[in-house]
Amino acid sequence: QSVLTQPPSVSGAPGQRVTISCTGSRSSIGAGFDVHWYQQLPGTAPKLLIYGSSNRPSGVPDRFSGSKSGTSASLAITGLQAEDEADYYCQSYDSSLSGWVFGGGTKLTVL
Amino acid sequence: QITLKESGPTLVKPTQTLTLTCTFSGFSLATSGVDVGWIRQPPGKALEWLALISWNDDKRYSSSLRSRLTITKDTSKNQVVLTMTNMDPVDTATYYCAHRRTSGPVVYAFDIWGQGTMVTVSS
């Protein structure tokens, strides 16, 4: 069981908007630690999508955005495209574990 | 351009020790604020952070695997080595190394990942 909780799956039609939640605790997200999001296309290594809860690395489309509030964070994807079909993981730090933690991952299906 | 590549055995037997090497380019682990971490992913499952080593040789380990892990660096060779003792079939996974920094742009996230290496534990 992952320290950060994500929905196992989400889906949306092309052009729609979807959000993926990531729920932590007072010792992780709630303690103020940054949340990062990764996209993992089938058979490939994870790729950084959002860092510092809401920042996009160079090259990541602005269709992807992140936010954080309290003990949770969210990834939003607007204008869904077929190429967005992938697994998405959130990641933070947990002070009670003294280590970095990942969510269980969310599989995005583009209908 | 930063790149990382993992190498090591594809098959290990139960109880054996696994040694993985991460060879990188485009940065130095002697530079202040630079880290390299190891993360694994069992087939069809989630990512799990294992260990991290910093530029100043500070080492951090997953609390659940601490007793089995050792991480070291060879700055002159641009390599980070992870050893995991007493391997078990549940340790079957793809093992990734990743770059991280605590200063400069894109801080604190694992911003560049290697391609990963699949390790199977079986007799």
Side-chain angles (χ1 to χ4, degrees), chain A residues 62-76:
Chain A
D62 60 6
R63 301 186 297 104
F64 296 90
S65 64
S67 63
K68 186 180 85 165
S69 178
T71 59
S72 296
S74 289
L75 173 71

Side-chain angles (χ1 to χ4, degrees), chain A residues 36 38 40 45 89 93 100, chain B residues 41 45 49 60 96 110 114:
Chain A
H36 316 296
Y38 303 87
Q40 187 175 33
Y89 292 91
Y93 183 85
W100 289 268
Chain B
Q41 184 175 36
K45 296 189 177 181
W49 170 74
R60 309 284 293 279
Y96 297 98
F110 294 106

Side-chain angles (χ1 to χ4, degrees), chain A residues 38-42 84-89 105-108, chain B residues 41:
Chain A
Y38 303 87
Q39 177 192 60
Q40 187 175 33
L41 298 170
D84 298 333
E85 193 159 282
D87 292 326
Y88 293 84
Y89 292 91
T106 299
K107 182 175 181 59
L108 168 62
Chain B
Q41 184 175 36

Side-chain angles (χ1 to χ4, degrees), chain B residues 71-113:
Chain B
I71 189 170
T72 60
K73 63 181 174 72
D74 186 328
T75 306
S76 64
K77 292 183 179 178
N78 280 352
Q79 290 182 333
V80 171
V81 174
L82 180 75
T83 61
M84 180 180 290
T85 61
N86 194 24
M87 293 292 284
D88 183 272
V90 300
D91 297 313
T92 294
T94 297
Y95 288 75
Y96 297 98
C97 61
H99 170 272
R100 178 179 179 269
R101 65 184 126 202
T102 58
S103 63
V106 193
V107 290
Y108 302 119
F110 294 106
D111 59 344
I112 308 293
W113 295 58

Side-chain angles (χ1 to χ4, degrees), chain A:
Chain A
Q1 202 133 10
S2 302
V3 174
L4 304 178
T5 301
Q6 299 179 233
S9 63
V10 297
S11 62
Q16 284 191 332
R17 178 182 187 268
V18 296
T19 61
I20 298 172
S21 62
C22 174
T23 303
S25 65
R26 285 184 291 180
S27 60
S28 59
I29 299 174
F33 293 108
D34 280 332
V35 178
H36 316 296
W37 291 90
Y38 303 87
Q39 177 192 60
Q40 187 175 33
L41 298 170
T44 69
K47 168 194 166 187
L48 180 63
L49 204 60
I50 297 288
Y51 69 97
S53 302
S54 60
N55 303 292
R56 284 185 309 276
S58 172
V60 173
D62 60 6
R63 301 186 297 104
F64 296 90
S65 64
S67 63
K68 186 180 85 165
S69 178
T71 59
S72 296
S74 289
L75 173 71
I77 310 172
T78 58
L80 263 184
Q81 299 179 4
E83 67 203 49
D84 298 333
E85 193 159 282
D87 292 326
Y88 293 84
Y89 292 91
C90 60
Q91 179 246 311
S92 187
Y93 183 85
D94 191 295
S95 57
S96 67
L97 297 173
S98 296
W100 289 268
V101 291
F102 286 90
T106 299
K107 182 175 181 59
L108 168 62
T109 301
V110 180
L111 302 170

Side-chain angles (χ1 to χ4, degrees), chain B residues 6 8 10-11 23 31 34 42 51 54 58 63 67 88-89 91 97 99 104 116:
Chain B
E6 307 85 353
T10 57
L11 178 67
T23 304
T31 301
V34 175
S54 298
D58 183 34
S63 57
S67 63
D88 183 272
D91 297 313
C97 61
H99 170 272

